[in-house]
Structure formats: structure tokens, C-alpha cells
Amino acid sequence: MGVRHAVVAGGGIGGLTAAVALSRRGWHVTVCERAPALRGIGAGIVLAPNALRALDSIGLGAEVWTGDALPGTLGLRTPDGTWLSRSDSGAMSTRYGLPTRAVHRGFLIDLLAAALPPGVVRLGVSVTGVDDAGGGAVVRTSAGELRADVVLAADGLRSVLRGRLFPRHPGLRHAGEAGWRAVLPGAGPPAPQATETWGRGERFGVVPLADGRTYVYATAVTGPGAEPADHHAELTRRFGAWHDPIPALLERLDRRNPDPVGILHHDFHELASPLPRFHAGRVALLGDAAHAMTPNMGQGGCQAIEDAVVVAHLLAAGPDVPAALAAYTEARHRRTTRISRRSRHIGELARLSHPLAVSLRNLAVRATPRAVMSRALDTVLGWQPPSAPGPAPVDVDVNVNVDVNTQVSVKEQS
């Protein structure tokens, strides 16, 4: 059997991770990225232990360990600064074997791109369709046709290939919120804690990045397409009177922020109705293309990394590509659907705005034992990547009835 060829549609985190995983297993890989350059948008991403294990399984662990892990205290607060729940990152590290790390998305994109052989990534090239060629696939791109043994569609939230494979699926649903994201430079006091503050239909998050910068995000209940005229003024209006260090961070976020990206604003969308499967013939969907989820658990990027490692493992295990992709759906569909639903439920709790409902929610958070919260995260953060030929691991449910999540969520949709 000669060298097999994989075409990856999309040069984001999931697509590049899949490209690295396959190239290190002897595949010839072509990544088609429609943008003129690979870039990590101005935001952070939390790499939870499950994602770190996945990266380590393809030889990228050492590169991600650079910089600081998340600080000792993680948790949820109210706008006046009262703690709803707190957890210790050291205890989480002990429980899951790895410390959670928060990095700039650009750092991760650059790391993945540098791990690929020269010439793998083709910029300014979009994939528009795939045709079955009998024993292979013909990939239609803006730069001509490519032949491939497999096509991995990592083309994001508004995936073109998802629409081609599942034209009757209802598609994206607006999640009832919009979010702001920005990265503050290292100059100035670093954020001492990773926190998310829940108000009445509004949230504000602070995450120290491994390189000394600070990632901040905020959410508010809005309808689709509601775009403030001045994002900084809107954030100050909503969050300027909340607890420290939020006012100081907003001050640093003003137009003096040298980050050329500035403040990002976007609506949240999800695939509320799961796809029937993640593959068709020689095409597999991964990441947001397969299971776009709300960012309330900070698992969107982590699940894309898991997808990439699992599909590469299964494709490398044997010559039957359609069978490998069917096994990929079996390994990933149930897990990602469950995580997506849990993330949606957390968002529903966080969006509560009636004073009585907010008070009851906060009381429930305070009353939930930390051990119960930790167990609720075990099936998410305790995931192990496949390491030997054979089927990829499939999750087993742990029935823990809990309505809250202690992991700081990261707003990572684009």
C-alpha cells in the first residue's frame, strides 16, 4: 500500500491537529485554508487535561508545557465579589494528572503549523465540495481538484461540507447570547485568579494566560445581530461597577490596548440538533463542523483536538477508510453530544435574569459539594486518547446529578 493522501478543509485548531497526527503516521496531508494567513484570533483557549493528553499523544506535549499553568484558585463569583464556588487548580491537577493551561489561540495555531512538513498548508484555498471517485475522493477547491483517500472537514461553525453532506439538517441555532473577547498585554498587574462572574443574564470571565497576558471575556443575553456601536462603552456600562479587578481590566481594555485585534464581538451559535453521524463515505466532520457547541464548558476547542487525534488513530489502523470513519462516529458522537447538552444547560443557568431565579441558582451552586462537582467533570477531563491499534475509546456515562460546572469557561466561538 502506497502513501495515502488526506485533504483537510480548514486550518484551525482541529484541522491542524488532524494534519499533524496523520503526517506523523505516514500520511501525505494537504490542508486547504481559505484565509490568506494562519492566525489565531485575539482570544485565549483553555487546554484542559483531556486536550493536553491528546496533544501529548501526537508528540506535542512538551511544547504546550511552556509558561505558567492556571493560578491556584478557580471559581465562580457574583458581581459584588462573593464566591459561589471555588476549586484549587493543584487539586484538579492531582485528580487528572495534568495542570490546565490557558494559552493564546495564536500560540497554539503557530505550534501546530510548525509541526507540519513544509508545503502542507495551502493558504487562500477553500474546499467547495467532494465527489466519490470509487476507491477515493475528488476534492473540489477554489484552486482546482485534488484526489484523496480521505477528506476531513474542519471548516468551522458555518461548514460548507456539513451543508453538502447533510442538506436537510436544520443547521445552526442562535443560543440567545452574544460575547466579547480580548487579550490584554502583560504590562500591568496580572490577574491573580481565573474566575467567571455570574450576574443577571450577564457574565464576565478573567483567565491568566501562560505567557503573562490576560484573557477577558463577557456575555450578555441578546437577540441575533445586536451589535453595539461602541464595544468598550457597552462593556463599561454593563460591568464597570462589578468587583475588582474587572473595572481595572476594562480600563486597560480601552483604546490604549495595543492588540491590533482589539475587542471581538460575536453571537453564540450551536448545532442544537445533533447530526445523525459525523461521516459520509470518505468524508468526516470534526470540531465545530461536526458538533458546534456553546462555549460554557470551555470544551469546543478541546473536543476538536480529541476528534483529530481519534480520527487519525483510526485511519492509521487499517486500509478501510469508510470503516475507520464509521468507527470515528461511534467513538465521538455520543461523547460530544453529551458535552454539548451539558454546556447548553450551564448556559441556561447562567442566563437567568429574574432576581428570584438568580438567587435560587446561586444558592444551589453554593450548596453543591465540591466533590460532586469534581465527579461530574471526570468523564470530560479524564478522557484518555487512543494509544494502540484498534478501536478508539468510547465514553461510559457517569450519572451525577449536578447543575453547575466548576471549570472556568472560555468563550471561543468565532
Side-chain angles (χ1 to χ4, degrees):
M1 182 174 63
V3 176
R4 294 188 288 175
H5 182 208
V7 170
V8 180
I13 289 171
L16 292 177
T17 303
V20 172
L22 283 172
S23 66
R24 293 189 171 187
R25 287 172 167 84
W27 282 65
H28 172 60
V29 182
T30 301
V31 176
C32 296
E33 168 53 47
R34 65 186 176 188
L38 293 178
R39 63 186 184 93
I41 55 178
I45 178 172
V46 170
L47 295 174
N50 52 312
L52 292 174
R53 284 191 212 95
L55 291 171
D56 192 45
S57 75
I58 59 173
L60 294 179
E63 288 89 341
V64 186
W65 309 148
T66 60
D68 297 326
L70 283 180
T73 301
L74 317 172
L76 296 175
R77 304 178 78 174
T78 61
D80 66 2
T82 302
W83 288 97
L84 293 175
S85 71
R86 274 187 281 191
S87 61
D88 179 74
S89 63
M92 291 183 68
S93 176
T94 299
R95 187 178 186 92
Y96 301 113
L98 290 170
T100 298
R101 292 185 178 273
V103 300
H104 195 286
R105 293 176 74 90
F107 165 82
L108 185 56
I109 291 288
D110 290 346
L111 183 154
L112 293 166
L116 290 170
V120 166
V121 179
R122 299 187 184 181
L123 297 172
V125 177
S126 57
V127 174
T128 58
V130 180
D131 298 318
D132 189 347
V138 175
V139 185
R140 288 179 274 116
T141 81
S142 58
E145 292 184 347
L146 296 170
R147 298 191 68 87
D149 296 284
V150 70
V151 180
L152 301 182
D155 52 344
L157 194 67
R158 293 172 176 81
S159 169
V160 171
L161 293 183
R162 180 180 67 226
R164 299 282 192 274
L165 297 181
F166 301 104
R168 297 184 180 180
H169 187 270
L172 295 173
R173 186 196 73 166
H174 188 268
E177 286 183 288
W180 295 264
R181 296 177 294 168
V183 175
L184 296 172
Q193 298 154 334
T195 62
E196 185 167 287
T197 301
W198 286 9
R200 293 171 55 183
E202 298 173 329
R203 285 176 281 175
F204 197 97
V206 181
V207 182
L209 299 183
D211 62 7
R213 290 182 284 181
T214 302
Y215 172 43
V216 296
Y217 61 87
T219 74
V221 175
T222 65
E227 181 83 16
D230 184 324
H231 291 298
H232 184 264
E234 181 71 5
L235 288 169
T236 301
R237 180 184 71 81
R238 290 180 178 273
F239 305 104
W242 287 24
H243 66 79
D244 291 334
I246 293 173
L249 292 170
L250 289 173
E251 176 72 19
R252 290 173 57 197
L253 189 58
D254 203 349
R255 295 176 181 86
R256 292 167 292 177
N257 181 9
D259 187 340
V261 176
I263 301 173
L264 297 168
H265 177 265
H266 53 277
D267 290 334
F268 292 165
H269 293 87
E270 63 172 336
L271 286 176
S273 177
L275 294 173
R277 59 190 182 281
F278 292 163
H279 75 286
R282 291 179 175 269
V283 183
L285 302 166
L286 59 90
D288 282 347
H291 45 70
M293 61 184 69
T294 60
N296 301 300
M297 291 186 69
Q299 277 289 314
C302 296
Q303 290 306 303
I305 292 169
E306 285 188 16
D307 289 346
V309 167
V310 169
V311 75
H313 166 80
L314 292 167
L315 286 167
D320 191 336
V321 169
L325 298 188
Y328 164 70
T329 286
E330 177 68 19
R332 299 299 301 161
H333 193 279
R334 183 183 182 194
R335 172 172 173 79
T336 55
T337 298
R338 191 166 66 247
I339 291 172
S340 179
R341 287 173 177 165
R342 187 185 296 187
S343 182
R344 184 183 313 126
H345 181 46
I346 292 169
E348 290 166 352
L349 289 172
R351 287 198 302 273
L352 293 174
S353 58
H354 190 281
L356 178 57
V358 169
S359 295
L360 291 174
R361 176 198 69 193
N362 293 350
L363 181 63
V365 173
R366 289 194 188 98
T368 303
R370 187 179 303 171
V372 174
M373 292 185 178
S374 296
R375 288 198 300 273
L377 289 173
D378 283 351
T379 56
V380 179
L381 306 186
W383 178 87
Q384 297 289 335
S387 58
V394 178
D395 270 7
V396 176
D397 277 315
V398 174
N399 293 317
V400 178
N401 184 19
V402 61
D403 288 335
V404 295
N405 179 20
T406 55
Q407 184 182 353
V408 175
S409 64
V410 175
K411 310 307 169 211
E412 48 186 22
Q413 290 194 352
S414 59

